[in-house]
Amino acid sequence: MLMKTLFRRRRSLLAGSALAVMLTVGLVAVAPEFSSPASAQTGPSCADPVTSAPTGPATVSAALTPYGKVLVVGSGDYAGCSLYLLTSDQLHALTGAPFACSDNSNATGSPCDTVLWPALLTKGAPIAGRGVNPTLLGTVTRTDLPGLRPVQQVTYAGLPLYRFFQDETPGETEGASLFDPVTSPTGIWYLVQPSRGPARTWSSAAAARDRAGRRHRARPDRAGRDDEP
């Protein structure tokens, strides 16, 4: 419970700030009210921690969501799981400073880069799936993942990509627009647009439609059944 309560939605957006200008990849800011229901898992979960080195190249694809196209894992056990980047990781990209999401000690007692935000690792050059710009894919060497020898993490426009421990099924986006007090320095996690477009907001009208739709689906009909089949 502590891990879940530490993270909170970012209600103010970065667009127009100096930090947003520095970002080199399009970010999708998601409405604070959005939350996807978790489903029972019989196999691998998007929330699984990283426990071993990769055995082959990772694939990154694009998937259509209520917030537009975003990057997801493109193949393997975690195909369809949402991918995120951390704003404060740009310090590493620009200056070579330590990764903000690392195995540094924190209030949860869990490594950021393998448990809270499992790093997307690859053996060999990552593969660009449908809708992904291959020129923006790259790798960076990680030597700080606990229990692992040096490994390659997938980057997009120079920033490392991660899953999130509160996403369980493909398509969930619980990590979008979260302020993270665990990373050092602190930062905000965003879904990633395949293009290099500027930071953009999810319109309030779209947010209202989504909230209305979720209320409608959750309201039982006269027979006591949900509206959805």
Side-chain angles (χ1 to χ4, degrees):
M1 182 62 67
L2 173 62
M3 288 193 291
K4 291 189 177 183
T5 56
L6 278 173
F7 299 98
R8 64 179 185 272
R9 296 288 185 188
R10 177 74 172 184
R11 293 184 178 275
S12 60
L13 301 174
L14 293 179
S17 69
L19 184 58
V21 173
M22 292 175 65
L23 294 178
T24 58
V25 63
L27 307 175
V28 180
V30 181
E33 296 84 356
F34 179 78
S35 178
S36 298
S39 301
Q41 289 289 301
T42 58
S45 164
C46 295
D48 289 345
V50 172
T51 58
S52 61
T55 58
T59 300
V60 178
S61 298
L64 186 62
T65 74
Y67 321 110
K69 286 187 177 180
V70 300
L71 298 187
V72 298
V73 180
S75 63
D77 290 340
Y78 305 113
C81 295
S82 299
L83 292 170
Y84 304 86
L85 56 77
L86 177 65
T87 55
S88 47
D89 260 342
Q90 66 183 311
L91 295 177
H92 175 84
L94 295 174
T95 68
F99 293 97
C101 183
S102 184
D103 61 350
N104 49 294
S105 60
N106 59 70
T108 71
S110 300
C112 178
D113 48 17
T114 56
V115 175
L116 302 182
W117 300 88
L120 179 63
L121 304 181
T122 186
K123 182 177 181 181
I127 299 170
R130 185 175 182 179
V132 173
N133 185 343
T135 65
L136 299 184
L137 280 175
T139 61
V140 65
T141 300
R142 298 294 297 258
T143 60
D144 56 335
L145 275 64
L148 299 182
R149 294 185 176 185
V151 289
Q152 297 295 306
Q153 182 175 4
V154 180
T155 62
Y156 204 70
L159 295 181
L161 298 178
Y162 305 80
R163 291 182 280 116
F164 183 44
F165 83 106
Q166 289 189 34
D167 289 345
E168 294 188 2
T169 59
E172 286 194 273
T173 52
E174 296 294 331
S177 301
L178 286 187
F179 171 75
D180 191 340
V182 167
T183 58
S184 180
T186 59
I188 304 170
W189 293 92
Y190 285 102
L191 294 166
V192 189
Q193 292 176 221
S195 68
R196 293 176 67 101
R200 66 179 183 178
T201 67
W202 187 37
S203 73
S204 58
R209 287 195 299 271
D210 180 74
R211 288 196 300 271
R214 285 188 283 115
R215 285 196 298 269
H216 176 74
R217 291 192 297 271
R219 186 172 60 248
D221 62 18
R222 294 182 180 178
R225 297 169 297 181
D226 288 345
D227 290 340
E228 284 190 323

